[in-house]
Amino acid sequence: MKRVVAAVIEKDGKLLVCQRTRHQTMPLKWEFPGGKIEEGEQPRDALHRELEEELGIDARIGDEIARLQHTYPNGAMVELRFFIVREYRGEIENRIFRDVQWSAAKDLPSYDFLEADASLVKDLAAGRLM
């Protein structure tokens, strides 16, 4: 099972969502920034590294707000851990995505998110997690 961390970055009442490129697996799907936990890495350390690599920010990783497991139709299994990020240093720069957007939580369902993110998106849109 692939272990993945992702950040729900909140700023001025909006959340950062990122769109995959055409060349990534599950192309053009929207997701929260983050990535794979490397061998021997702690989840918060992995997320801090991923946010620096993907967005160029030095993030203060907050509380874990959700943890879920998902199996894709091809049989690939993923464990996702989502953390809130309300503070970071630096300006967000799009280093790897096709697009990045700030969205109100209630508008998240209008994006074509990864299947694994669906329940989190629903909870965020309903105001249940923040």
Side-chain angles (χ1 to χ4, degrees):
M1 178 175 310
K2 190 162 125 181
R3 295 173 53 225
V4 174
V5 287
V8 177
I9 302 175
E10 189 271 334
K11 181 180 177 186
D12 300 327
K14 298 212 171 177
L15 305 175
L16 188 74
V17 295
C18 304
Q19 187 181 34
R20 291 177 170 215
T21 68
R22 293 186 188 284
H23 309 292
Q24 289 174 288
T25 52
M26 295 176 260
L28 306 181
K29 292 285 190 177
W30 289 85
E31 65 182 344
F32 296 98
K36 197 170 130 220
I37 300 172
E38 301 295 343
E39 187 67 38
E41 202 173 29
Q42 291 300 310
R44 280 183 168 81
D45 296 335
L47 186 54
H48 186 271
R49 174 185 51 75
E50 289 283 351
L51 295 178
E52 199 285 320
E53 290 173 4
E54 295 179 355
L55 300 171
I57 59 172
D58 177 11
R60 183 170 168 265
I61 311 303
D63 291 337
E64 183 175 321
I65 59 169
R67 187 184 302 193
L68 54 95
Q69 291 184 356
H70 182 79
T71 304
Y72 282 97
N74 68 3
M77 293 173 62
V78 63
E79 178 192 66
L80 284 154
R81 296 174 71 166
F82 295 93
F83 293 85
I84 190 74
V85 172
R86 290 192 171 100
E87 297 175 36
Y88 57 87
R89 287 196 303 261
E91 291 298 315
I92 288 180
E93 39 180 295
N94 180 3
R95 294 182 172 179
I96 68 157
F97 298 103
R98 180 173 189 264
D99 195 10
V100 295
Q101 298 281 327
W102 289 100
S103 172
K106 67 177 178 54
D107 297 330
L108 291 176
S110 68
Y111 292 86
D112 184 17
F113 269 89
L114 292 171
E115 215 177 277
D117 293 352
S119 64
L120 177 80
V121 166
K122 194 169 160 183
D123 286 344
L124 287 168
R128 286 194 282 269
L129 291 177
M130 295 180 54

